[in-house]
Amino acid sequence: MSVRVRFAPSPTGEPHIGNVRTVVFNWLFARKMGGQFILRIEDTDRVRYKPQTIQTIMDGLRWLGLDWDEGPGLEELVRSGVERPEDYAVGGPAGPYVQSERLSFYREAAETLVRSGHAYRCNCSPERLEQVREYQREHKLPVMYDRHCRDLGSGEIAPDEPHVIRLRAPLTGQTVVHDLIKGDVVFDNAEIDDQVLLKSDGFPTYHLAVVVDDHHMQITHVIRGDDWIPSTPKRVLIYGALGWALPDYCHVPLVTMPGGKKLAKREGATSITEFRTAGYLPEALFNFLALLGWSPGEGDEQEIFSRGELIERFDLFRVSRSSAAFSYEKLDWLNGVTIRSLPADELANRLIPFWQQAGLVPTPCPDSMRPMLRAIAPLVQERLKVLSDVAEWTDFFFKDIEVPGVETLVGKKLTEAESLAALQAARGLLADLESFDAGTLEQSLRGLAASLGLKAGPLLGIIRQAVTNKAVTPPLFGTLAALGRERSLARIDAALVVLQAAA
Ligand code: GLU
């Protein structure tokens, strides 16, 4: 059978970027092995359930290019309240892929376990359970169910009386989790709780649901964060009790900050949406996440990989055994490199939403604006770390600038009168140039500086201030060309008035 892996998010919030790294490993493994990557929505926690996160999760996966081969179908998505369900419906032979639609499977498995003696009914009240826990906490005992109902005779709790179904965990012996990355992890059965499998409202707990679903969906490899290891023996016991074959477990080390501390937010970014809004490119983030805890080979220095290369070279058995450090510097660097590798037209297209977000470009973007956007994109390509930086670099192209103050207009080591004369000469030249492209502008303005006996720097500085009201901008000649002759001259004229008044 071919490899089948899954991403099984709980729609209680957006997955943390560290977990998204694990999704990337699942996806790469499936693609590398020619297998299937399955999306399953684990919505059994009805208290923390936030239906809108289903859509956000699917949007994030799509944006990162993590397509799924099987997942919720149209009807399931409609019932889950997803807007535009037709855009996300995939379906598949092992559905439904939303757990709240699979309650009968869990009930059946739980009843089978009761019949075979591997599980039992329990009608302890929440108050009693709390008293037990309190006692255990007070006496520094492990906090777990005290097995009160474990040995009640059959018939003492009727199936129609409110109750839960609990796992009858063995009291002696050991349970071993065979893990592809960690090796064998051994647990004493006496420490395994008689876990609730089915709640009194008919919903399963995660432990039962995940086993039933992974089995029915024929998942071959469970690849997830190693914070799930401690509860895995419960699931190993459930598989055994149901007589089902275990999947291969592969618990990958967590993502931390450099130095091992808990992964912290920077500028609010810990979910895909946040990285997307901040202006990271999906291909850069994907590349970065794939290398968090995995590398293609000893001594391999390569950092930039195409998606195809990553698929080809990914090897689950080379995933590191130690935690992976999330370096924002490396991500910024990768993002910058990726931005610089884009064709200018493509970059302009990717920048449009960020200009729109900053209120600089209307939505939809008018066709008449596109030539200017295409001219601006290469000017900022070298300078952007993230796409959202574009607003700050380019706002003066889109909106009127404040007329610069005289102190910013006076050139370095020049007087007001000299600065005025230089800007007047430049104005004359720009008005008469036959062509207003960057090459012509550069040649003629450098020529003008020489003929005025000035260094190019101060002259270009005055023009830069006049047309942008900023000291640092994208390259000036391209900026003038993109701004156009008419707007450039109008701004220079306004600056001339300021200089005239001061000279
Ligand atoms: N629903 C679980 C979660 O939210 C899935 C864990 C697993 O992969 O087994 O993380």
Side-chain angles (χ1 to χ4, degrees), residues 167-244:
L167 174 68
R168 188 189 299 273
L171 301 177
T172 55
Q174 293 178 321
T175 296
V176 181
V177 176
H178 300 288
D179 191 272
L180 291 181
I181 293 185
K182 308 233 169 245
D184 283 358
V185 190
V186 182
F187 296 85
D188 279 332
N189 288 339
E191 285 166 19
I192 302 177
D193 202 356
D194 277 5
Q195 176 70 49
V196 173
L197 301 178
L198 198 70
K199 296 183 266 185
S200 54
D201 60 3
F203 273 76
T205 57
Y206 162 74
H207 305 279
L208 177 64
V210 75
V211 168
V212 170
D213 290 349
D214 283 346
H215 171 73
H216 285 158
M217 295 178 186
Q218 299 184 303
I219 299 302
T220 58
H221 295 74
V222 170
I223 307 169
R224 63 184 171 200
D226 64 9
D227 48 340
W228 289 99
I229 281 244
S231 59
T232 303
K234 292 177 191 169
R235 291 188 283 282
V236 172
L237 291 174
I238 301 171
Y239 273 104
L242 287 164
W244 292 343

Side-chain angles (χ1 to χ4, degrees), residues 388-459:
S388 58
D389 287 346
V390 77
E392 209 180 310
W393 277 106
T394 62
D395 53 355
F396 62 86
F397 283 107
F398 301 93
K399 48 183 195 192
D400 290 340
I401 57 166
E402 263 182 52
V403 181
V406 68
E407 62 296 342
T408 61
L409 283 170
V410 174
K412 213 168 152 204
K413 295 198 187 142
L414 298 182
T415 64
E416 277 94 352
E418 286 164 339
S419 304
L420 172 64
L423 190 58
Q424 272 167 337
R427 199 235 181 256
L429 179 96
L430 296 181
D432 292 342
L433 276 185
E434 244 170 60
S435 153
F436 211 73
D437 61 86
T440 313
L441 285 161
E442 171 157 18
Q443 206 187 19
S444 26
L445 286 172
R446 287 194 189 283
L448 175 69
S451 68
L452 294 174
L454 291 175
K455 285 202 171 132
L459 173 69

Side-chain angles (χ1 to χ4, degrees), residues 130-449:
E130 188 43 44
Q131 275 167 9
V132 170
R133 283 193 287 266
E134 218 165 84
Y135 177 88
Q136 290 168 334
R137 278 194 288 264
E138 242 170 59
H139 292 81
K140 308 234 163 357
L141 296 166
V143 175
M144 59 203 285
Y145 180 56
D146 67 350
R147 308 190 178 107
H148 178 264
C149 296
R150 182 172 165 118
D151 296 314
L152 294 184
S154 70
E156 279 193 48
I157 302 172
D160 54 356
E161 176 183 341
H163 68 276
V164 302
I165 291 180
R166 286 184 182 273
L167 174 68
R168 188 189 299 273
L171 301 177
T172 55
Q174 293 178 321
T175 296
V176 181
V177 176
H178 300 288
D179 191 272
L180 291 181
I181 293 185
K182 308 233 169 245
D184 283 358
V185 190
V186 182
F187 296 85
D188 279 332
N189 288 339
E191 285 166 19
I192 302 177
D193 202 356
D194 277 5
Q195 176 70 49
V196 173
L197 301 178
L198 198 70
K199 296 183 266 185
S200 54
D201 60 3
F203 273 76
T205 57
Y206 162 74
H207 305 279
L208 177 64
V210 75
V211 168
V212 170
D213 290 349
D214 283 346
H215 171 73
H216 285 158
M217 295 178 186
Q218 299 184 303
I219 299 302
T220 58
H221 295 74
V222 170
I223 307 169
R224 63 184 171 200
D226 64 9
D227 48 340
W228 289 99
I229 281 244
S231 59
T232 303
K234 292 177 191 169
R235 291 188 283 282
V236 172
L237 291 174
I238 301 171
Y239 273 104
L242 287 164
W244 292 343
L246 284 165
D248 281 336
Y249 283 113
C250 188
H251 286 93
V252 300
L254 297 183
V255 179
T256 63
M257 292 299 279
K261 275 203 256 110
K262 195 166 171 267
L263 186 53
K265 282 185 173 228
R266 191 179 66 175
E267 289 151 18
T270 59
S271 68
I272 300 184
T273 310
E274 288 160 338
F275 281 96
R276 180 181 183 174
T277 317
Y280 289 94
L281 297 176
E283 50 273 62
L285 187 58
F286 180 85
N287 187 158
F288 172 77
L289 292 174
L291 299 183
L292 264 184
W294 169 77
S295 62
E298 295 302 337
D300 192 327
E301 300 286 299
Q302 188 178 346
E303 301 271 22
I304 318 246
F305 293 89
S306 69
R307 189 169 290 255
E309 274 176 299
L310 286 169
I311 293 173
E312 192 183 311
R313 298 186 63 178
F314 185 73
D315 180 354
L316 191 56
F317 299 96
R318 288 194 53 85
V319 167
S320 156
R321 279 155 205 256
S322 43
S323 62
F326 192 104
S327 155
Y328 284 99
E329 280 86 316
K330 181 169 169 192
L331 173 60
D332 285 350
W333 170 76
L334 258 175
N335 205 53
V337 171
T338 314
I339 288 175
R340 290 194 283 285
S341 74
L342 294 178
D345 272 12
E346 173 65 20
L347 177 59
N349 284 338
R350 302 235 200 160
L351 287 171
I352 289 173
F354 292 88
W355 277 314
Q356 289 173 326
Q357 201 177 302
L360 299 172
V361 167
T363 309
C365 173
D367 282 344
S368 58
M369 267 186 115
R370 288 183 188 270
M372 180 171 87
L373 302 182
R374 275 199 291 272
I376 298 172
L379 301 177
V380 289
Q381 193 152 20
E382 289 293 324
R383 289 167 167 73
L384 298 177
K385 252 200 235 156
V386 288
L387 299 179
S388 58
D389 287 346
V390 77
E392 209 180 310
W393 277 106
T394 62
D395 53 355
F396 62 86
F397 283 107
F398 301 93
K399 48 183 195 192
D400 290 340
I401 57 166
E402 263 182 52
V403 181
V406 68
E407 62 296 342
T408 61
L409 283 170
V410 174
K412 213 168 152 204
K413 295 198 187 142
L414 298 182
T415 64
E416 277 94 352
E418 286 164 339
S419 304
L420 172 64
L423 190 58
Q424 272 167 337
R427 199 235 181 256
L429 179 96
L430 296 181
D432 292 342
L433 276 185
E434 244 170 60
S435 153
F436 211 73
D437 61 86
T440 313
L441 285 161
E442 171 157 18
Q443 206 187 19
S444 26
L445 286 172
R446 287 194 189 283
L448 175 69

